[in-house]
Amino acid sequence: MFSPVRSFVRLLSASPIPGAIPKRTKLPPRPKWLIIEDELDEKFLKGGRGPGGQKINKTNSKVQLTHKPTGIVVTCQYSRSQELNRKKAREILALKLEDIQSPETSRNAVIGERKSKLKQSKAKKSNRKYKALDEVRAETRAKESEAEAAEVDPEDEFNRMLAEAALRAKNTPES
Amino acid sequence: MPRISPRLVREALWHSRLLPPLLRANPEIAMAKQELRWIKNELPRDQWRDAITRRSKLEPLQYILGTQPFGELDIECRPGVLIPRWETEEWVTKLSNLVASRCPKKNIHIVDACTGSGCVPLLLNHQLNGQSDISSQIVGFDISLEAFNLANHNLARIDNSTPNVKFKQLNLFSESLVQELAVDEVDILVSNPPYIPKEDFYSSMYMNGVEKSVRLYEPALALIGENEFYEALLAQLILPMKIKAFVFELGYQLQVDFVKTFLEGKGWEVGSMNDGSGKIRCVLGWRKEMDFMQKLAEEKSS
Ligand SMILES: C[S@@+](CC[C@H](N)C(=O)[O-])C[C@H]1O[C@@H](n2cnc3c(N)ncnc32)[C@H](O)[C@@H]1O
């Protein structure tokens, strides 16, 4: 059937080992079930200035969601598409709500944990590397291209936004 | 062009060396950053510089990126054809929701005059067919060959399996318009005709005129017009074809009043509706059998 050694290894890697970096693919799912449409007040924020209509061709796709039971307000103008912003605003709100309900195990918390652990392990590795000058150069170059990639990758942008949203949710207890 | 302060340029540079040129089109840093992000997300890296240069000359971002989101659709945009506006997206969405939930007739025929990129028929079709028990037949027409070609291109891109949307190249002022249109029955006529008077077209945005990017890059044929288009919509289509309801986009209360006066004593209810930023944006009318339409007009006063 299956080797006992393998299943033991699998068991290990599946259970959260303290100190291990949570895998990207093993993050808690996006908590969509926390969104109840009746509890939301949705507004499309259209700038009041200027004549509008055919006279202006600027994109205007900002969405604001208020979660009536908690008073949490989320805005999103990540995309040029108002429809996409409506979806993303709901995702962000769901993450905030989950953070409040289960601050230890929420997706945001695990993402945060993963980031800081990744950073630590990188720092360790680079300490070793500093011994060889060549390697330092390689690292800088890699870092540079990584930073540039981060600028382009919409997924990364979005994750950064979520992290910020999480921070704000923690720092400012909403009324 | 308003002068850009060195302080603003320095602030922009601090964010990215690509940002300062975008200040010409976006006097606010936040908006410039937004556009830079959209350029980076949507174009390959080797096109960023060119895109930013074009935008710094006030070319519309939609012509540079090639599309404009419109509801759940992505409408392709090309120079020579008007870019769909959020105000249009807004009333089309409201109209389709209302028709889907309230229209007593289940097989509904719609005509869109002055269809441009085809955005209005394509979104109506997308919203109506499938999500409700309504089925719709929509014909859009435009005088411009460039618009006609782009509308057909958008139709093919979005859903070429649908026989429910058709485009034609026709002149709203043609004497034989009804024959050329060749549809037996129309329930609702919609239109976003050119509605900017010449004086306003040539004045600055701050004088109730037009944004420079619009004047420099979008076709005047799509923009300049006064009451003649509303008059033609009513006299050439609504009355002879016995159409039962209409929604026309506009930019001035005078245009609402014109339509109201025109239909006085002809058995029509006429109302108007504001857009999401509180500006007068549509005139709508209905005959008794389509009085569910008044829900749209009521939104204005709320
Ligand atoms: C303001 S644009 C609207 C385009 C599209 N419906 C939208 O909302 O994005 C007006 C359109 O009217 C068309 N047009 C101008 N004169 C016309 C005429 N005499 N007959 C038919 N269409 C005309 C223009 O080519 C242009 O595409």
Side-chain angles (χ1 to χ4, degrees):
Chain A
M1 275 210 315
F2 54 85
S3 109
V5 180
R6 250 213 213 132
S7 66
F8 178 63
V9 172
R10 269 190 43 202
L11 211 122
L12 258 184
S13 62
S15 63
I17 318 160
I21 300 170
K23 285 218 173 76
R24 200 178 183 144
T25 48
K26 296 246 170 69
L27 293 175
R30 297 182 189 279
K32 286 196 184 115
W33 56 88
L34 295 176
I35 296 297
I36 299 161
E37 282 300 318
D38 287 345
E39 295 182 350
L40 303 182
D41 184 22
E42 184 172 46
K43 282 210 176 81
F44 306 112
L45 302 180
K46 307 297 189 185
R49 279 173 301 151
Q54 290 170 9
K55 293 175 174 176
I56 307 284
N57 62 21
K58 283 229 169 69
T59 300
N60 205 335
S61 59
K62 194 169 183 175
V63 173
Q64 176 183 302
L65 279 185
T66 306
H67 183 247
K68 288 184 272 187
T70 58
I72 293 180
V73 178
V74 166
T75 63
C76 183
Q77 57 177 340
Y78 169 74
S79 158
R80 295 195 291 139
S81 157
Q82 181 173 283
E83 275 310 305
L84 278 185
N85 288 339
R86 295 182 66 198
K87 295 200 180 100
K88 294 222 152 150
R90 280 164 179 73
E91 284 175 20
I92 298 169
L93 177 63
L95 291 174
K96 279 191 169 191
L97 291 174
E98 194 196 27
D99 256 357
I100 290 169
Q101 288 181 9
S102 36
E104 313 283 277
T105 56
S106 75
R107 185 178 160 93
N108 260 343
V110 179
I111 289 177
E113 187 195 339
R114 179 170 182 271
K115 278 225 169 119
S116 68
K117 284 193 174 144
L118 274 176
K119 224 185 199 170
Q120 278 173 17
S121 90
K122 248 190 206 162
K124 264 189 219 154
K125 278 180 203 155
S126 70
N127 275 345
R128 266 175 260 136
K129 278 185 185 170
Y130 274 123
K131 287 166 195 155
L133 195 65
D134 272 1
E135 276 169 322
V136 176
R137 284 211 193 101
E139 164 98 336
T140 332
R141 240 177 285 133
K143 259 197 187 144
E144 256 167 25
S145 61
E146 191 182 279
E148 272 161 1
E151 261 187 310
V152 200
D153 183 6
E155 192 42 36
D156 259 3
E157 262 293 316
F158 187 48
N159 284 335
R160 189 184 55 75
M161 237 173 60
L162 292 182
E164 276 175 13
L167 262 183
R168 250 175 280 134
K170 276 204 188 114
N171 295 343
T172 54
E174 247 109 353
S175 50
Chain B
M1 204 178 294
R3 266 184 51 94
I4 304 162
S5 77
R7 209 191 51 98
L8 199 64
V9 174
R10 247 178 286 127
E11 196 189 334
L13 259 178
W14 186 81
H15 290 292
S16 158
R17 82 208 136 77
L18 298 174
L19 200 55
L22 291 175
L23 290 174
R24 297 221 188 98
N26 302 281
E28 283 161 37
I29 290 253
M31 195 63 218
K33 279 168 76 176
Q34 195 92 258
E35 287 201 355
L36 180 58
R37 191 154 48 76
W38 290 332
I39 289 171
K40 287 181 168 181
N41 286 348
E42 293 182 41
L43 293 178
R45 205 191 174 91
D46 59 347
Q47 290 176 26
W48 293 355
R49 191 165 291 279
D50 179 51
I52 289 163
T53 309
R54 286 166 69 185
R55 186 65 181 130
S56 76
K57 294 175 186 155
L58 304 184
E59 185 170 340
L61 190 63
Q62 295 89 334
Y63 289 155
I64 299 169
L65 299 179
T67 60
Q68 169 62 42
F70 197 70
E72 285 176 351
L73 305 178
D74 236 354
I75 299 290
E76 196 166 306
C77 297
R78 293 179 192 157
V81 183
L82 193 96
I83 298 158
R85 305 294 201 255
W86 69 259
E87 290 89 342
T88 312
E89 173 188 47
E90 184 182 65
W91 70 254
V92 172
T93 304
K94 283 184 181 171
L95 174 66
S96 60
N97 288 340
L98 184 69
V99 168
S101 61
R102 296 292 198 84
C103 187
K105 212 172 157 222
K106 295 302 165 201
N107 182 14
I108 179 151
H109 299 255
I110 303 175
V111 167
D112 177 38
C114 306
T115 200
S117 61
C119 57
V120 175
L122 291 170
L123 185 56
L124 284 172
N125 175 63
H126 178 78
Q127 297 281 104
L128 288 177
N129 292 310
Q131 289 177 30
S132 59
D133 55 346
I134 302 255
S135 69
S136 62
Q137 306 288 319
I138 312 177
V139 175
F141 73 86
D142 201 287
I143 195 174
S144 140
L145 180 61
E146 282 166 295
F148 172 72
N149 287 338
L150 182 59
N152 274 321
H153 176 74
N154 274 318
L155 173 62
R157 273 178 74 232
I158 288 164
D159 186 6
N160 55 8
S161 67
T162 171
N164 304 325
V165 177
K166 277 202 188 74
F167 293 108
K168 301 191 173 186
Q169 191 190 0
L170 295 175
N171 180 357
L172 175 63
F173 299 97
S174 159
E175 272 170 25
S176 44
L177 180 62
V178 174
Q179 290 90 295
E180 289 159 1
L181 190 58
V183 291
D184 306 330
E185 201 195 344
V186 182
D187 301 297
I188 306 179
L189 177 65
V190 294
S191 184
N192 174 18
Y195 57 64
I196 306 173
K198 255 215 178 87
E199 323 74 275
D200 283 355
F201 185 77
Y202 293 106
S203 10
S204 102
M205 199 171 86
Y206 307 98
M207 308 281 292
N208 201 30
V210 167
E211 193 180 22
K212 210 165 172 189
S213 165
V214 174
R215 187 165 47 243
L216 290 177
Y217 289 94
E218 293 192 83
L221 176 69
L223 295 161
I224 299 177
E226 267 177 86
N227 289 336
E228 72 277 18
F229 280 93
Y230 301 101
E231 182 171 9
L233 288 165
L234 296 167
Q236 294 264 74
L237 291 170
I238 294 284
L239 298 184
M241 297 197 74
K242 301 197 161 50
I243 299 173
K244 298 169 216 107
F246 65 82
V247 180
F248 303 151
E249 186 174 322
L250 40 70
Y252 300 80
Q253 182 61 40
L254 281 174
Q255 294 164 339
V256 177
D257 299 341
F258 174 85
V259 170
K260 277 193 175 152
T261 311
F262 189 100
L263 288 176
E264 224 160 85
K266 295 191 172 74
W268 282 84
E269 298 278 348
V270 179
S272 62
M273 136 192 204
N274 287 2
D275 65 27
S277 70
K279 310 244 154 54
I280 186 77
R281 192 55 64 208
C282 289
V283 62
L284 54 147
W286 61 93
R287 298 188 68 94
K288 218 180 263 120
E289 60 263 50
M290 298 283 267
D291 66 356
F292 72 93
M293 291 283 292
Q294 93 188 52
K295 263 290 269 147
L296 280 183
E298 279 166 5
E299 299 230 14
K300 175 195 73 164
S301 46
S302 72

